[in-house]
Structure formats: C-alpha cells, structure tokens
Amino acid sequence: MTEHLPVSARALRRVPLVGRHEELRVLAGHVTGAQAQDGPGGAVLLTGEPGIGKTRLLDRLAGTCPEHRVVQTAGVRSEARLGFAALHGLLRPFLDGLDTLPPPQREALGAAFGRVSGTAADRYLVGLATLTLLAGAATVRPLLALVDDVQWLDPESADVLAFVGRCLHGDAVALVLAGRDDRDGPDPFDGIPVLSLTGLPPADARDLLAANSAGRLDPAVADRIAAETGGNPLALLRLTRTLTAEQLSGTAPLPAALPVPGPLRAHFQRRVRALPAETRTLLLLMAAAAPQESAERWRAAGCLGIPAHAADAATAAGILTREHATGFRHPVFRSAVYWGAEAADRRLVHAALAAVTDPVRAPDRRAWHRAEATVGLDAEVAGELEAAARHARAGGGPAAQAAFLLRAAELSPTDRVPRFLAAARAHLALGNPASAQAALDRAETELGPGDALLRARVRQTRTRVDLYSARLTGIPARLLDAARSVAESDAPQARRLLVEGLAAAVVGHGGPGATTPYEFAAAVLASPALRPTDSAPADLLLRGLAARLHDDHLSAVPLLRRALQAFGSEPLGSEPFGSEPFGNGAFGGEKFGSEPFENGAFGGEDFGDEDFGDEKFGGEEFGGEEEPGWDGVPLAVLALFAAEDVWDDVGGRAACTRLAGHARDTGALGALQTALMVQALWDVRAGRFGAARSGFEEAAELAAAMDLPPHGPAQQIELLAWSGREAETRAAAAEIAEVWERQHGNDDFGDRARACLAVLETGLGRYPQALACARVVMEKDRPGTGTRVLHEVVEAGVRSGDHRAAKQALARLEERAAASGTPWAKGLLARCRALMADDEHAEAYYAESVELLGRTGIVTEAARSRLLYGEWLRRRRRRGQARDQLRTAHRMFAGMGAVAFAERARAGLAATGEQARTRTGPAGRALTRREREVARLAAGGVMNADIAVRLFISVSTVEYHLGKVFRKLGVTSRRHLTSVLDAEARLP
C-alpha cells in the first residue's frame, strides 16, 4: 500500500515512553549500586532488535539521575573503521585530566587520539587510562556513561569499553551499553550482564498505538498490529502513520500483510525512494560521510550540484532530524540509504567526498573515500591506503589497518603479496582467522618462483592461523621449510621461525610421518642462521632446547642455565613481552582483542612490530638491534621448561617474576596472563597454595577482562593434585587427555597431567598407579616433564616392587643431577638414593635430602623428604626421631593444604603414639582473591595509585578493597598486614 507522506508535526514530536517499568527498575538498581560503590554496579548491556526502544530507555535513564554526571556516545557505522572514534567522543569531557594519568596510560591514550606520534596505542593501557579517567571523575560526582549502538562501534572502542565494563567495581561509575542482539562476529561484550529487551506486552503495545493514533483505534486492529509487529515500538509507530484512519478504526480492511518489514531496513528504503532524486543523492552522501565530516558533506553536495534545501524533504519526511539537518532520525535510515543505492551512485558520492577532504588533516578518510570510488587497479590509491594503514596502526586501530591493507592489496597492480600478507596478519590480530586465511589464499596465488622470503612469511602466518585453531599437526615441518628458505638471506627471521617451530615440536606429537623433535632439533643446530655467539635469552633457549632434544641433557644444561641467568642480566625491550603468540596455551590462555592465538594450542597475543615494520607492510627486514625470537616465543613457558629440566628454581622463579613485572609495566595482558600462570605453578611448589590460587584467579580475571573463555580446572591440575582433590584432579586430567592431547595434539600438557596424577596417586598411597603414570612421562622424556618426573618413578617403583624401573630412573637422575648441581637436583637425588639404599647408608641420604631441599623454594618436596625420612625411622622403631620428622612434615603439608600427604603424615605420627594437632587458619582466610592481592601490595609499601596500575583497576577500587581488608583482618594500618598475609598465603 502507499505510505502517507509527509509525516505530520504530531507524528514527529517526541513520543512518551510506554511501559518498560521492570527494565527501568533493573537499570535504576544498577546505577544505584554503582553510586553506592556496593552491589552490582559495573556495566550492563541492553540488547534487542532495531526499534525495540533501547535508545528511549537510555534517554529516560539519563533524565532520572539528576545526581549523576551523564556522558553519552554512540556507535556510527561510517566510523567503524576509525580506531577509538567512539571512545574519543565519550572521553572528550575528561581529556583535561590527561596529564594526571601515569605516563604509560597517558602516552597510550594520547596515541589512540592522535595527540602523540610515534607510539602505538596499546589497547589494554588505553582501557586502563579510560578506567582511571572515569573513576577519577566519579570521585567528584557519580558518573553515568551511556553508549548506544554498540554494534557500530569501532572495534578498538568496543574492546576498551568492554574491558572497562568488566573491571568496574567499587567505583561510582555506572556504564550502560545498548546494541542490537544480532551483532556479527565475536562479541567483545561477552561476560557483561545483559538485559534483553523484547517487544512490548500486548497491553502496553495497545496503549502506545492508542496514544499515537489520530482517531479511533479498533481493539481487534490493535491486537493484530501488536501481534504482527511483535510489540516492536518503532514498527508500531510506523504503522500508525502508514495505515489510514479507516484501517485503524476498523472500518476498512487491513492489507493481507502489514507493511512492517522483516528487517526494518526495507521499510525505511521504501520511504527513501519516495523522496526527490536530489534529496536521495544528498542522503546517500550523508550516509557515506563520517559524522565529523559535516563541512565536507556540504562541500561535496555543492560539487554534485545539490542545493542545501534538498534536505528539507528528508526532514519533513522524518528521515533527518530537525535539530541537526545532517543527522538521521534512526540509525537504520543510514544503512537503508547506503546499501539500498546502486554501486555507481555510491562511487559517485565517495569520489565527491574524496575531492573535498583535506589530504593533510584527514588522509585516512580521503584514502578510504578514494578507494570506495575506484574500480579496477590504481597504484596511487593503493599507496594512499597503505599510508593510512600505517597511520591506523600507530594509533592502535587494527580494524582500520586490516581494512586499509586488504583494500590496498586489491587495488595494487604491484606489491600485492606483501599487502595481502600484511592484511592477513592484521585480521589475525583482530581475532578473525577466517579473513586472515582468505587473505593468505589470495597472497599465495600471487607468489612467484623467486619470492622465497615472502613465501616463508606466508607459511609462518598460515602456521599462526593453525595455532589459533589449535592445529599443531604439520607446523614444525612447515616452519622448518620456511626457515631454510631464508636462512642465508634473513637469518633473524629464520631464527624466529625456528624458535616457533621448535616450541611446537616440543609441545605437540606431530602425527604419523611428521617432523620429529629430534629431526627438528638437528635442523636447528645445522642451520646457518644460528650463531653460537648469540647471548640473548631467546637464542640461548633455542640452542639449549635443540641440544637437549638432539644430543643429550648434559650438553644442554650450560645453555639452559645461561638462558635463565640472562633473564636477570639482559635488558628487556618494549616489544618482546607484549607479542607472544604462544603465550598461554597449555597453561590456560586464549584471547582478547588484538591477540591472535587466543583459542590455539598456546594462546597469547599479537605479533609485535615485525609484522608491519617496513614500507610495504610485508614485515621489516629483521635486522638491526632487535633480538631474534622475542616476538615468537612464549618466554615464560619456555623458561619454565628450562628451569624444570635443570632443576633451577631460583632462575626459573626470577625469570618468571621479571617477565610478569615487565608485562605489567607495559600493559601486555596476554603475556602477563601467561606469566601469572607460571608464577602460580612456582607458588604451588613453594607450598603457597593460597598464593597460587590467587595467581590462577588473577589470570582467570584477566582472561575475563580480555573476553576469553573462562579457565577450567585443567590449568590448575598441579594445584589440585597436591591438594589431594581426587575427583577434580581426575576430571581435569580427563579434559586434558580428550581436548588438549587427543583433539589438539598437545602432548606436553598430557605429560604434565600424567605427572600430576602420579603426585596424586603417591599421596594416596597407590604406588602402582603412580608408577604407570610417571613411567609414560619418563619414557617420552620431554624437556621439563621428563626430568622432573624421575623422582616420582623412583619412589613409586620402590614402593610397588618394580626395582628395575626405579633403577633406570635413578641412573638418569644421577647423571642429570650431577650436571645441574642445584640444591633441588641434589636433594631429590639424595632422597632417591635413600629409597634404594640399605639401612647403613639410607639415613645419611635422607638427612642430606632434608638439608638440601630445605635450602630451595620447593617446599612441597622438602616436606616429602621429611615424610619419607619419618616413615623410614618409624619402620625401624625409632619413634622419637620419627615423630620429629613426621610432625614437621604434617605441619608443612597441613599448612599448605596438601591433604593427602598430610593424612599420610598424620597416620605415621599416630603410629608412633602422637596425635597431630588440628590447625586453624587466621581470619584472613575470608579474604577474596582481589582483596588478598591488594593487601599483599599494600603490605609491601606500594601506593594506591601504583596498585591500581599493576592490577588494572581504578584507585577507588583499591581503596574499596583495602577498606574491606582492614575490617576483615582487624588491622588498622598497612604495617600490620605482613604477618597476617604470610600465614594467609600458605592456606589451602
């Protein structure tokens, strides 16, 4: 049927909100909770279909919070490629406080908004800067931040706002987001509470129809309209203006199908097509232009011969607002206008906009308009797009960067492969492996026979796509081929490829016919790219692990010890630790924002500067001063492997602590998450189960802040095993075997699970089962686990009567412990010798083991030596001496929460005639993980502002948690926290 235009002035007036009482109650409670710095607070996301009333609810909420300072922004489709555009609009009122931010945050936010040149905008630091600004403003007056149309936010702003929303707690800041429920692709707002808006109930729908119908409204007609629109308020209102008075009153029949579109866009397109041609062209020009291009759109209109009064018809039709003649009344109008136009017409308006856009002030927008106006190949436009991509990357906008690079490649008559390759890497950095794969496919079709370096980089990037999806099979062989092809021409790049390939070879099983770790290590050691004189930690790890896999443990020990030592002496650059593509995997990570390997076998972040460093965006030449391997190695994980393999707890802990500190300082959350997981493992071995749990929880919280899948029990299996939580340990081991080992080929994680099961079975006294698990790990002999499990085989073998297995493990342990020479190694060796020795020599070995392991940070093993020594003394009826060892072992195990081993010590002590004392924990046990972390830093003398920076929260959140800590622990100053927290860290 024909629509009745123009719309009357009555129809254009602001329509009162009808219904939505429950939704308003929920939102008011959310705002009140945030204002009180208690209760839910934080962020909430309104979702629903177009026209459902999200914007009206935001307007009503803003009008009912007079005590709040209200700031608003909205996503705009044409700005979706402009990094941080929406965030800039939200933070504009607070930018006077930019100088009060800590320098890393200030620089990151300045780079994001184009105020600082030459610095990339790290999105996590930008997020923390945003959190700090908003929380700071809220200390003066409670803050209500409203963000509409999140489906059209640029990805950078969306990621930052999602990060802020997940981190808000204890701040007088309420963040309310609104967007469609059919948003495409990965949702950055996962994990934020959702309030879903559905259509109005029939009664409210009838009220809305009656309030906006000029004459009588027939109840049956109202019921049918309400039913067929699903109660969508915008559709209801459109029908009151589309149907005739007779149809609304019931005196004329309704059409068989009401003119309410499946998508509302079709309805809006019909309204646009009813306008004059010059008005339609003006609307198309407005839809193609970014909101900030108000002057450009009028100049472009002049170039096309369109008078300004052409907007009057669109304003009268209710398509443009009266307040802003260039603003669409409803966002769907913009989409309907642009995508409903012919391609030739879209090119026409983009060309006009490009012609009037200043190439100096707005080179990115001009380049994009020129590209959209181009058909075929055009080297000049491709060059402009490439320059725009560089600018976008410097501003921290990978979404814009990816779009510019892909379009540049499509328009390029030459240099197509580097541009497709760079586009693929940018898409992967966005977490879009499908688009990355498509760009790589296009790059590969363009490769020529002489493009060895480019072919190697294509293979490397394709491998990273596979890692994203946890496909380990074939990766070492592909990376080895790529490294060989560039070893002579680009040695640093070859070493990067070798490091990544060796890490995959160590972790995965490769499958039938695949390159074995031994074969890969042989190729590494023979590669002309490997320089024996290199002393960087990554190079030392590469050579050490290759020697371990190809030669023997003895030859690897000096290199691995030097690598760990180098972490404490070599300067740490700004790039390596924020770009670890293997950063989290087996230890529990996956992804956020620009991190490309979030769902892969290792997890981690993006690629670092090597990906987009040169003029062609095909990757810099990897020469100069940059240390090879930093960008492609999970440094915290490989340092763990090295430390375990040489029993160097001091070097391993120091390396991990330094990496974690560097990651905190640089805002590299993916690398920090990895380091936290490894730190938690060292805490488990130190008997600090409470601290370990805090580390795992902080890593999980970072995962949530980065929109990663939640961490399951698999990542905590070592803690679970030592805690004696049998059912949970077995469930975690089953998950690892099925998901990580069988599906993803991550054999290292499988071996770690078997080693943990051996600990569990030994604690429960099930020695044959412990031996079965540990023996598999020993036979595979992977770096780290193959060495660390030897003492388990000895003990389980002796106790189960399999002396052959015990002797085999002891022989290997003697050889490796001698090479290592650390107290950890020699203490385990002494204990295993005691288990195998006769009575004449056993006691001296036990005493030596207790003394040596007591000098290490491996408290769990020190307690086990006391337990075994006490059990040996008891069996020889030396009850008094046995009590001393068993009492100490029980105190240690019970204090850390090692339930199964504590029970063994209790039973042994009872057999000597002494009952173990029941241990009670301090009041600090009631602290939450975040409270413990804040308290620990405060006890160490860290100021509140610095605590906020380190924990990625606001200062007011620190104050909130610290106040609760003081109340729970009954202390009144930071000085009193230390002694209480020392006991708290050892609680289970």
Side-chain angles (χ1 to χ4, degrees):
M1 64 178 292
T2 304
E3 296 187 49
H4 296 270
L5 297 172
V7 179
S8 66
R10 176 199 61 78
L12 289 174
R13 75 169 184 262
R14 198 67 169 164
V15 178
L17 184 66
V18 174
R20 301 299 190 196
H21 305 298
E22 177 61 20
E23 291 88 347
L24 285 169
R25 184 192 66 78
V26 172
L27 291 174
H30 170 76
V31 174
T32 302
Q35 180 181 357
Q37 299 183 326
D38 197 6
V44 66
L45 173 64
L46 287 173
T47 66
E49 65 187 21
I52 205 68
K54 302 180 291 294
T55 301
R56 296 305 316 281
L57 272 177
L58 294 185
D59 290 345
R60 172 61 65 89
L61 185 64
T64 55
C65 298
E67 69 280 10
H68 284 71
R69 180 179 183 180
V70 180
V71 291
Q72 296 176 268
T73 193
V76 178
R77 188 166 188 167
S78 59
E79 285 191 315
R81 296 185 181 93
L82 303 178
F84 302 106
L87 184 68
H88 184 267
L90 183 70
L91 295 185
R92 189 180 294 115
F94 310 110
L95 293 182
D96 288 345
L98 199 62
D99 290 339
T100 65
L101 294 174
Q105 297 179 31
R106 182 172 64 248
E107 292 170 6
L109 198 60
F113 295 161
R115 294 186 168 206
V116 177
S117 60
T119 301
D122 183 284
R123 266 189 277 185
Y124 305 126
L125 285 176
V126 173
L128 186 55
T130 301
L131 180 65
T132 304
L133 282 178
L134 295 179
T139 61
V140 179
R141 182 181 178 188
L143 187 65
L144 174 58
L146 305 174
V147 184
D148 203 0
D149 291 324
V150 299
Q151 72 276 3
W152 289 328
L153 291 176
D154 57 278
E156 292 77 19
S157 294
D159 283 344
V160 168
L161 291 172
F163 175 87
V164 170
R166 285 185 283 266
C167 291
L168 283 172
H169 184 74
D171 304 288
V173 179
L175 175 62
V176 182
L177 309 145
R180 294 184 181 179
D181 54 9
D182 59 349
R183 299 183 300 279
D184 295 331
D187 189 355
F189 299 104
D190 280 346
I192 290 179
V194 173
L195 178 58
S196 297
L197 296 186
T198 57
L200 294 173
D204 289 340
R206 287 194 296 271
D207 290 344
L208 182 63
L209 286 168
N212 289 277
S213 298
R216 175 180 173 273
L217 178 66
D218 179 76
V221 171
D223 287 344
R224 180 182 167 189
I225 293 174
E228 294 198 21
T229 61
N232 184 293
L234 183 60
L236 292 168
L237 292 172
R238 294 305 177 199
L239 286 174
T240 64
R241 300 159 194 175
T242 301
L243 299 175
T244 65
E246 292 77 12
Q247 289 171 322
L248 291 172
S249 66
T251 58
L254 292 172
L258 293 178
V260 178
L264 289 173
R265 180 187 300 174
H267 181 67
F268 293 149
Q269 285 175 340
R270 288 196 297 272
R271 296 187 61 185
V272 171
R273 285 196 293 269
L275 297 173
E278 63 180 13
T279 301
R280 294 199 305 272
T281 303
L282 180 62
L283 289 175
L284 179 58
L285 195 152
M286 293 175 176
Q292 65 267 39
E293 294 181 299
S294 57
E296 286 88 342
R297 70 185 69 178
W298 288 118
R299 288 199 294 269
C303 292
L304 296 174
I306 301 171
H309 63 73
D312 293 345
T315 303
I319 295 173
L320 297 179
T321 62
R322 291 186 179 277
E323 294 82 5
H324 304 285
T326 59
F328 287 95
R329 180 169 292 279
H330 192 281
V332 178
F333 274 122
R334 182 185 299 274
S335 176
V337 167
Y338 189 82
W339 296 110
E342 296 292 334
D345 293 332
R346 289 198 297 270
R347 290 196 295 270
L348 176 69
V349 298
H350 278 294
L353 286 166
V356 300
T357 300
D358 190 328
V360 176
R361 295 171 59 89
D364 298 358
R365 292 203 303 271
R366 182 177 185 271
W368 189 256
H369 285 311
R370 290 195 68 191
E372 291 298 280
T374 301
V375 178
L377 303 179
D378 191 310
E380 182 180 340
V381 175
E384 280 195 38
L385 286 167
E386 187 176 82
R390 277 196 294 272
H391 184 264
R393 179 175 184 274
Q401 178 188 12
F404 289 145
L405 287 169
L406 186 60
R407 189 71 177 123
E410 292 170 343
L411 295 178
S412 299
T414 59
D415 296 325
R416 293 170 65 85
V417 174
R419 287 166 176 166
F420 276 126
L421 177 59
R425 290 179 167 182
H427 277 298
L428 197 55
L430 281 169
N432 189 347
S435 295
Q437 186 71 56
L440 287 173
D441 290 343
R442 299 177 73 175
E444 206 152 30
T445 62
E446 304 276 348
L447 284 170
D451 296 331
L453 180 58
L454 286 175
R455 192 177 298 276
R457 290 177 179 170
V458 168
R459 288 175 180 171
Q460 182 186 34
T461 307
R462 197 178 290 281
T463 295
R464 288 172 169 179
V465 174
D466 287 342
L467 287 172
Y468 184 99
S469 304
R471 297 190 297 263
L472 290 174
T473 303
I475 285 177
R478 293 204 302 272
L479 288 177
L480 182 57
D481 287 343
R484 284 169 171 163
S485 69
V486 297
E488 300 287 352
S489 60
D490 194 338
Q493 169 67 352
R495 289 197 296 276
R496 282 193 176 94
L497 294 164
L498 290 173
V499 171
E500 293 186 19
L502 187 64
V506 168
V507 169
H509 60 65
T515 301
T516 66
Y518 177 87
E519 292 168 341
F520 197 100
V524 168
L525 296 173
S527 174
L530 197 63
R531 298 178 300 201
T533 57
D534 285 334
S535 60
D539 283 326
L540 292 170
L541 281 173
L542 174 61
R543 291 164 53 206
L545 288 172
R548 165 74 164 83
L549 292 167
H550 183 266
D551 299 330
D552 53 34
H553 182 272
L554 185 63
S555 63
V557 169
L559 291 167
L560 296 178
R561 292 291 299 273
R562 283 177 57 201
L564 293 171
Q565 184 180 13
F567 280 109
S569 59
E570 294 292 320
L572 303 185
S574 61
E575 290 299 329
F577 308 97
S579 52
E580 298 177 342
F582 298 137
N584 303 320
F587 300 90
E590 283 160 55
K591 136 166 203 317
F592 169 62
S594 65
E595 281 73 333
F597 299 109
E598 55 285 317
N599 296 319
F602 304 96
E605 290 186 64
D606 62 9
F607 308 110
D609 279 352
E610 86 280 4
D611 290 337
F612 306 107
D614 70 355
E615 291 298 314
K616 300 299 182 187
F617 285 88
E620 70 180 16
E621 294 309 311
F622 302 106
E625 300 300 320
E626 185 181 11
E627 296 291 359
W630 286 121
D631 58 290
V633 185
L635 293 178
V637 174
L638 292 187
L640 174 69
F641 290 173
E644 290 177 334
D645 216 45
V646 297
W647 290 291
D648 186 355
D649 59 305
V650 175
R653 167 74 84 165
C656 184
T657 299
R658 195 161 189 227
L659 290 169
H662 188 88
R664 286 191 191 277
D665 293 342
T666 58
L669 297 196
L672 175 59
Q673 187 195 28
T674 305
L676 287 172
M677 301 294 282
V678 175
Q679 274 188 326
L681 293 179
W682 288 116
D683 281 330
V684 170
R685 295 161 191 179
R688 296 168 51 85
F689 288 8
R693 187 166 288 107
S694 294
F696 286 125
E697 289 172 355
E698 184 177 359
E701 190 169 289
L702 281 178
M706 295 186 292
D707 190 24
L708 308 186
H711 285 182
Q715 284 74 28
Q716 300 188 36
I717 189 170
E718 189 166 334
L719 175 61
L720 295 173
W722 274 103
S723 299
R725 294 157 67 175
E726 182 177 1
E728 293 171 80
T729 304
R730 296 194 191 284
E735 176 189 338
I736 292 168
E738 173 60 24
V739 176
W740 290 97
E741 192 170 19
R742 191 185 70 81
Q743 295 181 17
H744 297 326
N746 192 328
D747 274 11
D748 177 77
F749 205 1
D751 281 351
R752 288 181 179 275
R754 281 182 281 275
C756 291
L757 284 173
V759 170
L760 176 72
E761 303 290 11
T762 299
L764 296 172
R766 299 170 183 165
Y767 299 110
Q769 293 89 336
L771 179 59
C773 293
R775 200 169 191 170
V776 172
V777 181
M778 184 184 77
E779 289 171 353
K780 291 185 178 180
D781 196 24
R782 293 180 181 277
T785 53
T787 296
R788 197 166 58 86
V789 80
L790 292 174
H791 67 281
E792 302 287 356
V793 176
V794 173
E795 181 176 348
V798 169
R799 293 292 188 242
S800 64
D802 191 338
H803 292 279
R804 180 178 179 182
K807 289 178 180 179
Q808 182 184 4
L810 179 61
R812 189 179 296 177
L813 179 56
E814 288 176 329
E815 177 184 277
R816 295 184 179 183
S820 171
T822 66
W824 184 8
K826 293 191 291 185
L828 291 178
L829 175 60
R831 187 171 85 202
C832 290
R833 282 174 168 168
L835 286 166
M836 300 284 289
D838 54 29
D839 286 355
E840 182 181 354
H841 300 96
E843 184 167 10
Y845 285 137
Y846 276 126
E848 181 185 359
S849 176
V850 167
E851 190 275 329
L852 286 168
L853 288 172
R855 289 159 43 190
T856 73
I858 312 299
V859 179
T860 50
E861 295 300 342
R864 277 179 73 174
S865 286
R866 288 187 177 274
L867 173 62
L868 289 169
Y869 188 15
E871 290 175 338
W872 183 86
L873 289 167
R874 180 182 60 79
R875 287 193 296 271
R876 277 135 193 88
R877 301 184 184 279
R878 296 162 61 178
R879 294 190 175 187
Q881 293 170 305
R883 287 191 192 111
D884 291 340
Q885 296 299 330
L886 291 170
R887 187 185 304 119
T888 302
H890 180 268
R891 185 182 69 249
M892 294 172 72
F893 282 131
M896 68 181 72
V899 175
F901 284 100
E903 175 57 25
R904 265 182 59 179
R906 186 206 63 77
L909 196 59
T912 68
E914 179 175 322
Q915 296 299 316
R917 294 181 180 180
T918 302
R919 183 178 184 273
T920 58
R925 193 168 185 173
L927 296 180
T928 66
R929 199 277 314 159
R930 179 60 84 195
E931 289 163 358
R932 288 197 299 269
E933 190 68 21
V934 169
R936 180 182 62 80
L937 293 171
V942 182
M943 303 303 294
N944 286 3
D946 295 325
I947 294 175
V949 171
R950 292 185 64 174
L951 299 185
F952 302 94
I953 56 178
S954 66
V955 174
S956 55
T957 300
V958 173
E959 295 166 349
Y960 168 76
H961 287 307
L962 203 53
K964 294 182 72 176
V965 168
F966 284 174
R967 290 194 299 273
K968 286 184 177 183
L969 299 184
V971 299
T972 57
S973 73
R974 298 179 181 223
R975 294 193 307 274
H976 300 145
L977 286 174
T978 303
S979 60
V980 176
L981 292 177
D982 283 344
E984 155 70 11
R986 297 191 180 277
L987 286 170

